[in-house]
Amino acid sequence: MLLLLDYAETQADLAELVMELADLCDGQGLHLRYLASCRSSFVEALPAEDYEHVPLDPPGPAGDWHEAHRRETVRHILAHARVPADPLHIDACRDVPVLAVFMAWLASQGREADLAGLLAEADFGAWVHKRIGLSFPEGARAVGRDLAVLAALYPLSEDGARALDPTPLAPLHRRFIDDGWVEREEDPWSVEARWVAVHDVLADGVFLAWVERHPHHATALVEEVLDVAAGLGGLGAALAAMQRVAGNTALMGLDWPLALQQLAIYFPGRVNL
């Protein structure tokens, strides 16, 4: 029997599963095998004796190969989403497939004006800053830091959303809802509904738009996000958001272990390191 695991790094008990499979094979003579895909950085967390690591990076200089692969992936996404896969749309994605996915989502939702604005903007972060700013009469810059914190909190439970009320984040959350950037959906793992950003790339763009303008304050912002999320009972969502953006240049030097250790001190019952 072959067990296939995609995005293996999202499985918190993967190491235990691997050991369990090994025990079943050794103890009962079963022929069980597994094939898991994950980031190379995650491989170190697995018991070394129980797997064979097969790197999928192309041999030799990979820059040209990766660039061509990303561009072809963008072309494929646009073509299958019935978005024109012409130079204008492809160049707007800057060889980033997730931007092609977001562009396809805008087209599927009938947001032609937003799509046209994205095509006309040279930088995705600048487009996010400008477009979200239209939702706020005082201007996105005036509430930029609070917007960045809020964007990193989604998905947000109903209880978490209600707990925003004494803070400046509450009216921003309501404006996100009114303008269709945040939607209410049923949580498949809970009896309670939750509020979700219409697309992760939009939420990440709001967060990174502020970080890239204030790189020297990135550490303080991350600490604030984790602190607020823990207080709302939504630390898991915030950590997932931070994992998505951790590769950004402005966040590369952030001491993540220290940030989490400090969080564990303030919220010992909610953080287990």
Side-chain angles (χ1 to χ4, degrees):
M1 178 182 292
L2 177 63
L3 181 63
L4 301 177
L5 301 169
D6 200 9
Y7 293 101
E9 60 268 33
T10 65
Q11 307 301 316
D13 57 351
L14 182 63
E16 290 78 5
L17 174 61
V18 169
M19 289 187 286
E20 182 68 20
L21 290 175
D23 290 342
L24 288 173
C25 290
D26 294 340
Q28 300 185 28
L30 300 179
H31 297 284
L32 301 175
R33 298 293 184 268
Y34 71 94
L35 180 63
S37 66
C38 64
R39 295 192 300 268
S40 296
S41 59
F42 182 73
V43 173
E44 298 176 1
L46 297 177
E49 68 277 7
D50 291 327
Y51 71 89
E52 177 183 357
H53 180 209
V54 181
L56 298 180
D57 294 329
D64 292 343
W65 183 92
H66 280 302
E67 183 177 345
H69 179 68
R70 288 196 301 267
R71 177 157 284 242
E72 189 56 37
T73 300
V74 165
R75 188 190 309 276
H76 176 83
I77 292 169
L78 294 179
H80 281 261
R82 298 182 180 179
V83 176
D86 55 27
L88 177 63
H89 289 76
I90 292 174
D91 290 344
C93 293
R94 303 165 189 86
D95 296 337
V96 180
V98 72
L99 291 186
V101 173
F102 183 63
M103 191 176 290
W105 177 82
L106 288 176
S108 71
Q109 298 298 307
R111 293 180 178 247
E112 288 84 2
D114 289 330
L115 180 55
L118 180 58
L119 291 173
E121 190 61 60
D123 176 72
F124 179 70
W127 176 83
V128 168
H129 187 76
K130 183 184 298 183
R131 178 59 190 86
I132 296 299
L134 296 177
S135 299
F136 300 91
E138 64 270 56
R141 189 176 298 276
V143 292
R145 185 184 178 100
D146 286 338
L147 283 176
V149 172
L150 180 61
L153 300 179
Y154 297 112
L156 187 64
S157 70
E158 291 273 33
D159 284 343
R162 283 191 289 269
L164 292 177
D165 274 335
T167 76
L169 300 182
L172 304 185
H173 171 64
R174 288 191 286 270
R175 289 188 194 178
F176 269 154
I177 295 171
D178 291 341
D179 277 14
W181 297 115
V182 170
E183 298 175 339
R184 186 177 184 273
E185 74 168 19
E186 298 300 322
D187 186 348
W189 307 108
S190 171
V191 295
E192 185 183 52
R194 62 182 184 174
W195 294 98
V196 299
V198 292
H199 204 293
D200 285 346
V201 72
L202 177 72
D204 296 347
V206 172
F207 180 84
L208 292 175
W210 193 92
V211 167
E212 290 171 355
R213 286 173 170 79
H214 308 86
H216 299 300
H217 300 283
T219 297
L221 179 64
V222 169
E223 291 175 348
E224 182 178 355
V225 166
L226 297 179
D227 181 67
V228 172
L232 297 174
L235 186 56
L239 288 174
M242 294 301 95
Q243 185 179 41
R244 292 196 305 267
V245 301
N248 184 273
T249 304
L251 297 170
M252 294 287 282
L254 196 148
D255 191 338
W256 293 100
L258 178 60
L260 293 175
Q261 288 171 8
Q262 292 175 339
L263 188 66
I265 293 174
Y266 290 110
F267 295 93
R270 302 184 185 181
V271 183
N272 184 15
L273 299 177

